Structures are given as structure tokens and as C-alpha cells.
Amino acid sequence: MLITANNPKIKSWLDVPNNSDFPIQNIPFGVFITKDDVITIGTRIGDYAIDLGALQQLNYFEGIELTDDMFMQDTLNDFISDGKKTWRLVRNRISEIFESTNPLLRDNTDHKEIIVCKMKDVEMQLPVLIGDYTDFYSSKEHATNVGKMFRDAENPLLDNWLHIPVGYHGRSSSIIPSGIPIHRPMGQMLPNGETTPVFGASRSIDFELEMGFITTDVNIMGENIPVHQAEDYIFGMVLLNDWSARDIQKWEYIPLGPFLAKNFATSISPWIVTMDALEPFRTKGPKQNPNPLPYLQQNGKHTFDINLEVIIKPENGEATLVSNSNFKYLYWSMSQQLAHHTSNGCRVNSGDLMGSGTISGPTPSNYGSMLELSWGGKNPIVLKDGTERKFINDNDTVIIKGYCKKNEVRIGFGEVANKLLPPFVRK
Amino acid sequence: MLITANNPKIKSWLDVPNNSDFPIQNIPFGVFITKDDVITIGTRIGDYAIDLGALQQLNYFEGIELTDDMFMQDTLNDFISDGKKTWRLVRNRISEIFESTNPLLRDNTDHKEIIVCKMKDVEMQLPVLIGDYTDFYSSKEHATNVGKMFRDAENPLLDNWLHIPVGYHGRSSSIIPSGIPIHRPMGQMLPNGETTPVFGASRSIDFELEMGFITTDVNIMGENIPVHQAEDYIFGMVLLNDWSARDIQKWEYIPLGPFLAKNFATSISPWIVTMDALEPFRTKGPKQNPNPLPYLQQNGKHTFDINLEVIIKPENGEATLVSNSNFKYLYWSMSQQLAHHTSNGCRVNSGDLMGSGTISGPTPSNYGSMLELSWGGKNPIVLKDGTERKFINDNDTVIIKGYCKKNEVRIGFGEVANKLLPPFVRK
């Protein structure tokens, strides 16, 4: 089936600002609350939020097999369960409806009033009910930097890293959308040079520049998905900030991995950009050496050229770009991650989230965490307002942005932006 | 409010076999499918399954504030959300209804036919939708044994172990009830003495004797629950088998913890025994030295005297008891685990599951895993049929049982029993 929605020549009858992340070629999926306090599934064109529930009720999806209330739900899980063919039919249909020469909705003022909202009037929600959240560790540069800092500068990569897309389970209950502020966590830490731990507010709150992908129902328990089929089960991608408390992490993580250092907050951008929309930006990943085991081997273009930026905005100061990276730097592809994840029969469901791990690149300006940017706090970075940062300060907002660009078409993710508040105090 | 349901003198008008885990003093909660293919919430007395949905429809809960369909659901999450007062009112009411001198239901043949099923006619389901699953590592004996085998025999406990109830995130999607068979997982492993990993069927499948507790809604994100309040948020307990593939685990777990070695299956017993039912078996835990940090300090009796057994049943062989242990051996209490888990503001919801970690005791017969029982495969154990086991063989069934006993009252958990099938083969 053709992805007609990707036609770069199409324009929408809705106004799309220059350099918008959301031209008519994007058509991401999300969930929002309208100004009438109705929760609905929607998409976005320019600075307009489109109510897909209303669009369905008014019969604009006629001819596509959908349950009656498919878009009148508060999560995308059921739609995602319907599979790739349905996703593509719906995305193509939305493209037709909003294409500049199509008068159907364009000239129906009553319908437009019901269907088209302004982004500033809606409140974005988490797009899916996330049953399980897995976070990988797939940037060779990031794993190398961490290894240099904490283990062996000469031999920074652990033995398994080049053979396994290393990953661990995160906590679904702490995943929040962009815009929700978080508290600096309290926790147990071992101060440098001490032998007895203390309990207090973390002093080294970090971001991790990541992206995440959302799956459809992949398998039944016990079955695996081969690497060459894995992409069919990926619905789309979001930006992800894997907030981390480095001092808590350092003390707790041996031998079972990060726990309270991570599960106080993970934030994601609210619009899921589909793999279909990202198709034109497909590219080759880094050469893998040694060759992975057969169940992880793949040829061709299995990653995507997605520019990434991290910005720190102090409470009353100017925003500063502190990192720019690219999704394509990752060593392990999403299909390798998913094939590995199901290689033991682990069940993966619709709405599950898989994080990439911190996406660092080859040069220091590409590093995806303060840990790496300030090299463990040794080299503070200076913001535009003249203040220094080893880690994130109270009332700083961390903003991650991401976009693809090719032949004048820009497909973006918007942003995930969250403010760090001081620790919670019980009243 | 009195826990009248715990009165040891009460007998039920339903027949309860000698030594049953489910006398009228137990009243656990679960979910089952009846022979008419209806899913309902229920309880159990002796070998009878009681349909609480039917009991509610027939007005037996009059006077207790419950939503109309509270027990006509396929999970206990909403009931658990209602909190401790409601749990106790319902349990006391069930106790009254089934008490031997109460003719109300006893003498109503029509109602009894609708409400009372035989256990052999129902199919037990997972009792809750588990949003997040955390597994702790709270047995000092287990952590010490593992440390001796894999790290430093002289200094087996890691530095953080006596200060932190160490835990990690497990995978909710792979949690299954007793009775569901599982496949031996495939995975990546590093054969002894080799430097290149291989992919194949795990050769060291293990059980881990654990218990788990189910929480109600504990907090909003960012807030913590103090240790002295934590027990109020625990609904009840189940038996848990944290199936593990030791060869996969050994190769993958550094630095982010166990992943595919664990997420192929975790099984639980289907009846949640309430903390109210366990109240008479409250006891003191081991002395904690060094004294934990203030946010983890508690005095008094915060654990429970629960006898535990592991049995291996080969396909055509006799069942052999391979381990007996006790929940009270655990170093960290459930309230300490929950206080620690929320100390950073991590949100904990109704239906979340927290595993104890392998429960080993002071003597080798108390060890809670094959890894410890066979000491890393060095000392195979001999089953009653004469066959040896270093780990679990294909077609073995692993059965975990648990019960408390005091003053002639026995409160039990039934069992979690799952068969290990050969690896899944794609057709």
C-alpha cells in the first residue's frame, strides 16, 4: 500500500508556519483534552490539533474498518493494536482530508469548528497506556564515556556490549508527558570518601537524551520475533528524557541495575511520529564489528536520520543549547533491540515503550547527558546567562527537540520539556 | 474496626478438609472463570470457589459502600483501590455469611447454586492487572550465597546491601498465574572458557522461591510514604516463582541488571491472602545491624511467620521436596521495601506487585534456588525417582507452597505450580 501521506508536494489548507515540525506530511498521533474538557485521540497540523474522535463521528473515515469508538478513547493502544495496514489507511485518509485542494472539510465551517482546535487550547496527555517500559543502552559513545569515567579508561566497554543490545526494565508508573514538572528526588547516597551512606536530596540530577519507540502487539508469550520482521511491530517514535540521579545511581546500582535513580521520572514528547512518516529519513547505522550473532544480523538501512537537541532554560535566564546529537549514531537498531527483547519469548504488547538509551555522538558537543558534557562534574558547562552547570539546578527546564529534514520536508517531534522543582516537602 | 473474620472459633457451613489452606478464617481474593464462562471476582473456602459478583448482585453486601459492579470485574484493582476499611468490611461480611450458624445463604438452595462453585470447575486467572512489578533482593542468606559463588567468598555482601533494600524493575507482561506452562527460553550466553558468546536454549533454568505483595494506590508522583504508614497500603500476599536462566543472566546482567534472564516468566499463586488474614502470624524479623537510616527504621513485629516449600515433580516421577524456608528469614520487611521504593517519589498504584527476592534461610535445606541448592551446579540434588538435578529439566513441574499455622488455625496460599516445556519452535 502506498504511503501517499508522505508526498512532499502536498500542502494543507490549514496554515503551517515555516519550519514547523508538523507539516501535512507528518500526521503524528496523540491524545489531548479539548477546551470543552473532552478527551480524544488526535493529530496535529501546524499549530492546529485535529480531533480524530470528532472526525470519525462525522464519518470522515468511512470505508476504513475501525471500531465505532476507535478515536474516542483516552489512549492509542487499541488503534495501535489494529496494525500497520490500518495505521497507513488512516494516515493517508487524514492527508487527503486536509490537502489544500480538497473542499470536503475545508469548506464545511460547522464541521471545522468541531474538528479543528488550536494547539494552545488543548492539553496534551500521555498517548498510550504503557504496560511495560524497557530502556536500552545502545549508544557506543555513551557506554564508552561512562566506562572511561567509572571503570577502565583503557578498556571502557564491557565484554558483552558489542554482542548484546543491553537493556533493563524501567518503571511505567513514572512516565509523564512534556510539561509536567518533577521534584528533585530524595535518596540514599554514599558521599565521596565516606563508608556510611546518607539520605537527602540528590545533588546530581541529570537528563538523558533519548528517543523511544512504541510497539503494537508483537507476540504471544514464548514466541520470538525475527529481526527482519521486527520493524512491522513498531508504530512510531517519541523523544524521551530519562531523568537520572547520578549520586543515587552510583550507590544503588550494583548488582541489579538502576532503580530509584531513574524511576522518579521519565518524560516523553506527546506526539507519536509514525514509522511511515519517518520512512524518507531511513539511513544506515554504524558498522557493527564484530558481526552480531545471526539472530541480530541485518543488512540495509535500519536507522533514521533524526537531529536532536538539548536545551537548558534556567528560571529567569536565557535558554542555552547544550547538546546536539542524532538518532543515527546509535549502534544497535530498534529492530535488533526488539528481536533481542523477544528472543527469549518475552511478551511485548501494544503501547509498550522502548527507550534507546542516551544518544551520544562522536564529539563532545554530541554528548547526551550532563554526566558526559561536564565529564562527571569536572568541567562545568557555562550557560548563556553566565551561570555554570555540572548537573541540573532547581527550577531549570530541560528541553529536548528532534526533527528530520530532507528535500525541503521537515518532520519533527516537537519537544519534551520539563521543569525540575525543589524536593517535595510533606506539609 | 475488629477483624471478626479472624475468630479462630468460627466454622463454615461449607465443608473444609483437614489441613486445608482455606478455612473460613482465610477468605482470600482472586479472579476466576466459572463453568458458564463468566469471569468474576471470588473467594475460596475449602474446595469451594465463591462467586463474589453473584453474592453482590444478590444483595449480600448491602450496607457496605461498593460500586454496583465492584465484583463483576476481571481484576481486583478497583476493589483494592477502595482501601483497607472496605477490604475489612467485605471480609468480615463474607465470614458472617458462611459461618455455620447463619442460615441466610446456607438454607437458600437457589442462591447457593449461583454463588458456590467447586474449585475443580473454575479456572483461576491473574488476580490483578499488574501495572508495575518490582523485585527486591531482601534475603541476606541468598545475597551472601550468591556473593560467595560469584564474587568474594570472604566478603560476599556488597557494600550497599545492609543499607538498602536492593531492588529492580521486572516485566509485568510476563507474569502468569499458577498452572500455565512456560517454555525453556533461548538466549545469548558465554560458554565457560570462551570469549565469544553463542545463542541457544538456556541450560540452567532455575526457580526462585519468593513471595510477593500487592499494593493499593500508595501516593501521587513526587510524594513518599513513611515506613510507619507503609503497611496500610499493602492489600495482601501471593507465592511467587521468579523463573531465572542463570547462563543468560551471567552474561547479560552487567551493568544494568537481569533482563532476558528473568522476563520470560514470573508465576504467582492466584489467591491473594490479605494482610488481615495474616495478622495472627505477625512476628519479628532478623535484627538489623547496622541500624538502617532513619527513613527505614521501625520497631516491633513487621514480618510474618509463613512456612514455604519447593517441590520438583518430574513428568513421570515422584514429587520431591527440595527446599523449605520461611518468609520471616527476610532481612528487609515489606514496609521497609515500600518506604524505600517511594522515598524518591516513585508512584506506586493499586495492583502493583513487589517480589521479596529469593527467600533462603540459615541452613542449606532452606535455600530458595537450585543455584544455591546445587551450589552453582557443583552438587546436584537427587530426586526421589533417583534422577539428579543441577537445574530444572524439561517437563519438570516446580511447585511452591506456603502456609501459616498457629493455635490449630492454618492459613495457606495454595500453590504456584508451573511446568517447564522444551524451547518454543517456530512452525
Side-chain angles (χ1 to χ4, degrees):
Chain A
M1 194 197 315
L2 283 175
I3 319 178
T4 56
N6 284 4
N7 184 343
K9 291 179 186 157
I10 295 176
K11 294 224 175 298
S12 175
W13 49 260
L14 281 170
D15 182 52
V16 177
N18 276 342
N19 242 11
S20 170
D21 280 353
F22 302 98
I24 191 172
Q25 288 79 12
N26 190 337
I27 312 179
F29 291 88
V31 171
F32 56 79
I33 296 174
T34 68
K35 61 180 173 180
D36 302 324
D37 220 25
V38 174
I39 192 159
T40 184
I41 288 172
T43 187
R44 177 173 177 174
I45 296 178
D47 293 330
Y48 297 97
I50 317 292
D51 182 338
L52 294 182
L55 210 58
Q56 184 180 12
Q57 276 186 300
L58 293 168
N59 259 332
Y60 285 84
F61 292 120
E62 218 186 329
I64 304 176
E65 252 186 68
L66 294 168
T67 53
D68 287 346
D69 66 341
M70 179 54 84
F71 294 119
M72 284 157 264
Q73 299 192 49
D74 55 6
T75 73
L76 278 155
N77 296 57
D78 283 354
F79 175 60
I80 296 173
S81 271
D82 268 6
K84 194 167 182 162
K85 193 183 151 195
T86 303
W87 312 335
R88 196 168 287 177
L89 285 169
V90 166
R91 200 165 150 272
N92 284 347
R93 177 67 60 87
I94 295 170
S95 166
E96 289 165 24
I97 297 168
F98 290 92
E99 194 270 317
S100 57
T101 65
N102 185 343
L104 192 68
L105 177 60
R106 185 192 67 194
D107 299 348
N108 187 330
T109 313
D110 291 352
H111 281 192
K112 271 201 293 193
E113 199 160 302
I114 299 166
I115 291 165
V116 180
C117 316
K118 289 181 181 153
M119 272 304 295
K120 68 176 178 51
D121 292 334
V122 306
E123 196 185 308
M124 296 304 299
Q125 306 295 300
L126 277 185
V128 279
L129 176 70
I130 299 163
D132 279 293
Y133 160 46
T134 291
D135 200 20
F136 287 94
Y137 184 58
S138 287
S139 159
K140 190 175 171 185
E141 290 82 359
H142 173 67
T144 302
N145 287 337
V146 171
K148 280 184 186 167
M149 268 182 266
F150 294 116
R151 284 182 292 264
D152 177 357
E154 299 304 307
N155 211 359
L157 273 190
L158 289 163
D159 289 344
N160 57 11
W161 200 93
L162 291 168
H163 300 279
I164 292 181
V166 171
Y168 68 104
H169 302 121
R171 179 132 186 127
S172 301
S173 71
S174 297
I175 299 173
I176 52 171
S178 181
I180 307 283
I182 62 175
H183 285 283
R184 178 181 293 271
M186 308 291 287
Q188 201 181 121
M189 302 155 277
L190 188 70
N192 281 335
E194 302 286 328
T195 56
T196 308
V198 297
F199 184 80
S202 165
R203 287 190 254 182
S204 45
I205 297 298
D206 205 349
F207 62 83
E208 288 194 345
L209 166 60
E210 301 196 15
M211 294 196 72
F213 66 89
I214 311 276
T215 59
T216 183
D217 301 294
V218 170
N219 58 348
I220 62 167
M221 198 167 147
E223 290 192 6
N224 72 301
I225 293 299
V227 66
H228 65 276
Q229 289 176 18
E231 280 189 5
D232 287 342
Y233 297 92
I234 303 177
F235 174 64
M237 296 176 70
V238 293
L239 304 167
L240 188 153
N241 185 348
D242 178 25
W243 292 86
S244 301
R246 299 300 178 194
D247 39 11
I248 297 174
Q249 186 173 357
K250 196 175 166 189
W251 175 232
E252 77 171 359
Y253 91 104
I254 294 177
L256 300 180
F259 182 52
L260 300 189
K262 300 275 192 176
N263 65 21
F264 62 98
T266 304
S267 51
I268 62 173
S269 56
W271 292 109
I272 307 177
V273 176
T274 65
M275 297 320 295
D276 269 357
L278 295 169
E279 189 57 39
F281 309 98
R282 199 178 266 283
T283 187
K284 268 198 160 183
K287 187 168 163 49
Q288 297 186 316
N289 182 14
N291 208 9
L293 284 165
Y295 79 105
L296 294 173
Q297 282 171 18
Q298 56 180 183
N299 292 310
K301 299 176 171 179
H302 293 287
T303 189
F304 297 86
D305 183 0
I306 306 171
N307 301 291
L308 298 166
E309 295 175 347
V310 185
I311 292 145
I312 296 176
K313 166 90 181 63
E315 173 120 72
N316 299 306
E318 211 178 332
T320 304
L321 178 76
V322 297
S323 171
N324 60 76
S325 188
N326 195 302
F327 184 75
K328 71 179 177 188
Y329 294 145
L330 289 171
Y331 188 83
W332 296 103
S333 72
M334 292 182 283
S335 24
Q336 289 175 319
Q337 291 168 343
L338 193 51
H340 181 66
H341 204 318
T342 62
S343 64
N344 69 343
C346 177
R347 186 162 142 186
V348 176
N349 294 314
S350 174
D352 284 353
L353 174 67
M354 313 261 168
S356 59
T358 309
I359 308 169
S360 294
T363 74
S365 66
N366 309 136
Y367 291 171
S369 64
M370 291 300 292
L371 181 70
E372 294 161 271
L373 289 165
S374 75
W375 208 255
K378 280 185 199 152
N379 310 316
I381 61 171
V382 182
L383 302 187
K384 281 189 183 167
D385 67 1
T387 59
E388 290 190 343
R389 292 289 183 285
K390 295 176 178 175
F391 292 98
I392 304 301
N393 284 4
D394 284 353
N395 301 310
D396 283 353
T397 297
V398 176
I399 305 159
I400 296 178
K401 297 185 178 192
Y403 67 94
C404 313
K405 200 162 183 183
K406 193 177 182 181
N407 302 333
E408 300 309 304
V409 175
R410 175 186 168 113
I411 300 285
F413 289 80
E415 63 179 34
V416 52
N418 303 78
K419 187 173 178 176
L420 179 67
L421 301 177
F424 167 77
V425 178
R426 185 171 288 275
K427 278 165 198 124
Chain B
M1 195 198 314
L2 283 176
I3 319 178
T4 55
N6 284 4
N7 184 343
K9 293 181 185 154
I10 295 176
K11 295 222 176 299
S12 174
W13 47 260
L14 282 169
D15 181 53
V16 176
N18 276 341
N19 242 10
S20 170
D21 280 353
F22 302 99
I24 191 172
Q25 287 79 11
N26 191 335
I27 312 178
F29 291 89
V31 172
F32 57 78
I33 297 175
T34 68
K35 60 180 171 179
D36 301 325
D37 220 25
V38 174
I39 192 160
T40 184
I41 288 172
T43 187
R44 176 173 177 174
I45 296 177
D47 293 330
Y48 296 97
I50 317 292
D51 182 338
L52 295 182
L55 210 57
Q56 184 180 13
Q57 276 185 298
L58 293 169
N59 260 332
Y60 285 85
F61 292 120
E62 220 187 328
I64 303 177
E65 252 186 68
L66 295 168
T67 52
D68 286 346
D69 66 341
M70 179 55 83
F71 294 119
M72 284 155 264
Q73 300 192 49
D74 55 5
T75 72
L76 278 156
N77 295 58
D78 283 354
F79 175 60
I80 296 174
S81 272
D82 269 4
K84 195 166 183 166
K85 192 182 152 195
T86 303
W87 312 335
R88 194 168 288 176
L89 285 170
V90 167
R91 200 165 151 273
N92 284 346
R93 177 69 59 87
I94 295 170
S95 164
E96 288 165 25
I97 297 168
F98 289 92
E99 195 271 317
S100 56
T101 65
N102 186 343
L104 191 66
L105 178 60
R106 185 191 68 194
D107 299 347
N108 188 329
T109 313
D110 292 351
H111 280 193
K112 270 201 293 193
E113 199 160 303
I114 299 165
I115 290 165
V116 180
C117 315
K118 288 181 181 154
M119 272 305 295
K120 68 176 178 50
D121 292 334
V122 306
E123 196 185 309
M124 296 304 299
Q125 306 295 300
L126 275 185
V128 280
L129 176 69
I130 299 164
D132 279 292
Y133 160 45
T134 292
D135 200 20
F136 286 93
Y137 184 58
S138 288
S139 157
K140 189 175 172 186
E141 290 82 359
H142 173 67
T144 302
N145 287 338
V146 172
K148 279 184 187 167
M149 268 182 265
F150 293 117
R151 285 182 293 265
D152 178 357
E154 300 304 307
N155 210 358
L157 274 188
L158 288 163
D159 289 344
N160 57 11
W161 201 93
L162 291 169
H163 300 280
I164 292 181
V166 171
Y168 68 105
H169 301 122
R171 178 130 186 129
S172 300
S173 72
S174 297
I175 300 172
I176 52 172
S178 181
I180 307 283
I182 62 175
H183 286 284
R184 178 181 293 272
M186 307 291 287
Q188 202 181 120
M189 302 154 277
L190 189 70
N192 281 336
E194 302 286 328
T195 56
T196 308
V198 298
F199 184 80
S202 166
R203 286 191 255 181
S204 44
I205 298 297
D206 204 350
F207 62 81
E208 289 193 344
L209 165 60
E210 300 197 14
M211 294 196 72
F213 67 88
I214 310 276
T215 59
T216 183
D217 300 293
V218 170
N219 58 347
I220 62 166
M221 197 168 146
E223 291 191 6
N224 72 302
I225 293 299
V227 65
H228 64 275
Q229 288 176 19
E231 281 189 4
D232 288 341
Y233 297 92
I234 303 177
F235 174 65
M237 297 177 70
V238 293
L239 304 167
L240 188 152
N241 185 347
D242 179 24
W243 291 86
S244 301
R246 299 299 178 196
D247 39 11
I248 297 174
Q249 185 174 358
K250 195 174 168 189
W251 176 231
E252 77 170 1
Y253 91 104
I254 293 176
L256 299 181
F259 181 52
L260 300 189
K262 300 275 193 176
N263 65 21
F264 62 97
T266 304
S267 51
I268 62 172
S269 56
W271 293 109
I272 307 176
V273 176
T274 65
M275 298 320 295
D276 269 358
L278 296 169
E279 189 56 40
F281 310 98
R282 199 179 266 282
T283 186
K284 267 198 161 183
K287 188 168 164 47
Q288 296 187 316
N289 181 15
N291 208 7
L293 284 164
Y295 80 105
L296 294 173
Q297 283 172 15
Q298 56 180 183
N299 293 312
K301 299 175 173 181
H302 294 286
T303 189
F304 297 86
D305 183 0
I306 306 172
N307 301 291
L308 297 167
E309 295 173 349
V310 186
I311 293 145
I312 296 177
K313 165 92 181 62
E315 173 121 71
N316 299 307
E318 210 179 333
T320 305
L321 178 76
V322 297
S323 170
N324 60 76
S325 188
N326 195 302
F327 184 76
K328 72 180 177 188
Y329 295 146
L330 289 170
Y331 188 83
W332 295 102
S333 72
M334 293 183 282
S335 27
Q336 287 176 320
Q337 290 167 343
L338 194 51
H340 181 65
H341 204 318
T342 63
S343 64
N344 69 343
C346 177
R347 187 162 141 185
V348 176
N349 294 314
S350 174
D352 285 353
L353 174 67
M354 313 263 166
S356 59
T358 308
I359 307 169
S360 294
T363 74
S365 67
N366 309 135
Y367 292 171
S369 64
M370 291 301 290
L371 181 70
E372 294 162 271
L373 289 165
S374 75
W375 207 256
K378 280 185 202 153
N379 310 318
I381 59 170
V382 182
L383 302 188
K384 282 189 182 167
D385 67 1
T387 59
E388 290 190 343
R389 292 289 182 285
K390 295 176 177 174
F391 292 99
I392 303 301
N393 284 6
D394 285 352
N395 301 309
D396 283 353
T397 298
V398 177
I399 305 158
I400 296 177
K401 298 185 178 191
Y403 66 94
C404 313
K405 199 162 184 184
K406 192 177 182 180
N407 302 333
E408 300 307 305
V409 175
R410 174 186 169 114
I411 300 285
F413 290 79
E415 63 179 31
V416 53
N418 303 79
K419 186 174 179 176
L420 180 67
L421 301 176
F424 166 77
V425 178
R426 184 170 290 272
K427 280 169 196 121

